[in-house]
Amino acid sequence: DAGVTQSPTHLIKTRGQQVTLRCSPKSGHDTVSWYQQALGQGPQFIFQYYEEEERQRGNFPDRFSGHQFPNYSSELNVNALLLGDSALYLCASSQDRGPFNYGYTFGSGTRLTVV
Amino acid sequence: AQSVTQLGSHVSVSEGALVLLRCNYSSSVPPYLFWYVQYPNQGLQLLLKYTSAATLVKGINGFEAEFKKSETSFHLTKPSAHMSDAAEYFCAVSSPSGGYQKVTFGIGTKLQVIP
């Protein structure tokens, strides 16, 4: 049973460019959450998608946007990249159970470097 | 509002010694609590979770944690450290927010195991 798959694994972009990261959730999971993990920090919540809609959003600017497809896979888009966007971007999938989280399954992440 | 505090960003133990990683939480409602482990260049893996059942929770790789409401703590322990336990450990809290799940991670504790 495949877990969470993220692509690409590594990416180098120039300031001002745009980037798209992709995530396929674990089989049976319908909710996808995206996290940013800067070096030496814990994961910071970006947003969560369920039924192709953004359901919750963390404290990130509008340059960060996303999408969820009918097959539950998801994309994270970042426009006008800044040096500070360099981080590990983690996709986490779960099965929706309303207001309770019973644990995430994480992908291995995409390491984004902005130069 | 909810938050997680992990005391000690780095912890060193000798192989075979007790592992104790500390986590205190803040939540306005009864929370669910989690410990995740992250190996270098990988995503997070769920170690164990507390979901309001037994207060002593056993997880994978011999780890366990005890939920203490009076102390708002959820410390992670393992009786005897192995070299393979060297990794970064994250405590997380989940509680309902606006009808949906909100998950907040701590900044992590890096565990070093000395041979």
Side-chain angles (χ1 to χ4, degrees):
Chain A
D1 179 24
V4 177
T5 304
Q6 289 188 246
S7 63
T9 55
H10 294 83
L11 206 51
I12 299 175
K13 289 287 189 177
T14 303
R15 274 182 302 174
Q17 284 189 316
Q18 178 264 344
V19 68
T20 297
L21 311 182
R22 296 176 175 82
C23 171
S24 293
K26 180 179 177 178
S27 177
H29 286 183
D30 54 11
T31 303
V32 173
S33 303
W34 285 93
Y35 284 81
Q36 180 195 66
Q37 186 179 19
L39 206 58
Q41 301 295 318
Q44 297 294 313
F45 176 69
I46 303 175
F47 42 54
Q48 183 180 81
Y49 277 85
Y50 172 71
E51 290 190 339
E52 303 178 48
E53 296 285 335
E54 182 183 293
R55 186 161 71 175
Q56 293 187 86
R57 188 178 184 91
N59 190 25
F60 279 80
D62 292 344
R63 298 187 297 109
F64 290 77
S65 63
H67 191 78
Q68 186 179 35
F69 299 94
N71 67 353
Y72 308 119
S73 66
S74 177
E75 288 182 349
L76 163 65
N77 300 293
V78 187
N79 294 323
L81 284 167
L82 304 173
L83 295 178
D85 294 332
S86 295
L88 181 67
Y89 288 84
L90 294 166
C91 173
S93 74
S94 56
Q95 192 175 39
D96 177 69
R97 297 187 189 184
F100 299 102
N101 177 277
Y102 287 80
Y104 287 132
T105 299
F106 279 88
S108 295
T110 294
R111 172 74 63 189
L112 173 64
T113 303
V114 182
V115 297
Chain B
Q2 61 185 29
S3 65
V4 172
T5 301
Q6 291 186 241
L7 299 174
S9 58
H10 290 80
V11 170
S12 293
V13 300
S14 298
E15 191 175 15
L18 171 73
V19 175
L20 171 61
L21 304 182
R22 299 178 187 275
C23 172
N24 289 88
Y25 70 90
S26 171
S27 176
S28 56
V29 298
Y32 287 4
L33 295 160
F34 308 85
W35 277 99
Y36 287 85
V37 61
Q38 185 178 35
Y39 297 99
N41 299 314
Q42 293 188 27
L44 281 68
Q45 178 185 5
L46 183 64
L47 266 181
L48 50 78
K49 60 187 176 186
Y50 166 77
T51 56
S52 74
T55 56
L56 182 62
V57 180
K58 295 186 185 299
I60 61 172
N61 302 338
F63 284 94
E64 63 181 38
E66 186 172 7
F67 171 68
K68 292 187 176 181
K69 184 179 177 181
S70 61
E71 299 177 7
T72 61
S73 70
F74 190 58
H75 302 331
L76 182 70
T77 61
K78 182 174 180 178
S80 176
H82 295 164
M83 296 299 296
S84 60
D85 294 327
E88 190 151 22
Y89 293 80
F90 293 92
C91 182
V93 60
S94 172
S95 62
S97 174
Y100 305 122
Q101 53 187 265
K102 180 178 171 69
V103 181
T104 302
F105 287 84
I107 64 169
T109 297
K110 193 162 288 187
L111 176 66
Q112 180 186 23
V113 181
I114 303 166

